[in-house]
Structure formats: C-alpha cells, structure tokens
Amino acid sequence: MSSTTHSPASQRLLDTLLGARGAHALYEATKFGFAELLVSGPKTAAELARLTNAHAPSVLRLLRALAGVGIFVELQDGRFANTRLSHLLCADSPNSKRKSSPKSKNSSRSSR
C-alpha cells in the first residue's frame, strides 16, 4: 500500500495492525474482489462466498478479521459493508490501491 491517502503515521499504524497475517487476509479479500462486490450494498459472508465460489465459513472468518481492523464493517444483521479503507481496494475508486494489489477474480466487472 502506498501512503498517498494516509499520513505516514496512519500508514504505519495500519501496517502494524495488519502485520503478516493481516496482509495475507487483505490480499485474499482483494483477490476475491469483496470490496467491489460490496459497492452495491451490504452482503452476508454466504452471499459473497456464493458470488466468488469460495468456502463460506472461511469468507466469514476473513471478513471478521478484516472488520476487526476497520477494513470492512459487520452490521448488526450479520451483513458486511465497505468502509473508507475498503473503498480503496475498488479499482474504480479515485484513490484506488488496486494498482499495486493482485487482480481480482471479478476484475472484468470493475474495469468497465
């Protein structure tokens, strides 16, 4: 991640919060395109798993881990939504960090 949108201090904090495991979780969420799928509105982990052909319990664990550091938010009804940080993972975001992230399985949807 580049620090173009974050101050150096906030970028260091985010890097510390994520660490190696968090970075891998962020990689997986980006690879599956969860942030882009959530642009249309909140979805459950099961819905996201179905849309990406992923294992639903693993998607739930991944999203909860990332929600714990503010990448996504888990709503009271169990659905997940984007935050300001996860919007940076969307290819069409003005400050997108996808340029340095792996291509999503859903990249054809986001490159319109």
Side-chain angles (χ1 to χ4, degrees):
M1 283 185 164
S2 138
S3 61
T4 56
T5 333
H6 300 291
S7 71
S10 66
Q11 184 63 45
R12 280 195 312 271
L13 177 61
L14 185 60
D15 291 343
T16 301
L17 287 171
L18 286 176
R21 287 186 181 170
H24 183 71
L26 190 59
Y27 166 83
E28 291 298 324
T30 303
K31 179 176 78 172
F32 282 106
F34 293 146
E36 290 172 324
L37 291 169
L38 292 171
V39 167
S40 62
K43 293 178 178 46
T44 65
E47 289 172 305
L48 290 169
R50 191 170 43 258
L51 290 168
T52 58
N53 295 315
H55 182 249
S58 297
V59 170
L60 178 61
R61 285 191 299 273
L62 176 67
L63 292 172
R64 282 188 170 158
L66 291 171
V69 293
I71 305 295
F72 295 104
V73 62
E74 184 174 12
L75 305 175
Q76 289 182 353
D77 63 4
R79 295 179 304 155
F80 289 86
N82 278 329
T83 64
R84 286 184 8 203
L85 286 175
S86 60
H87 275 289
L88 297 173
L89 302 176
C90 297
D92 59 353
S93 170
N95 297 314
S96 177
K97 301 304 176 207
R98 286 297 299 262
K99 296 172 192 95
S100 60
S101 300
K103 285 202 172 229
S104 161
K105 291 182 178 180
N106 302 305
S107 60
S108 61
R109 293 175 3 117
S110 63
S111 61
R112 292 182 210 163

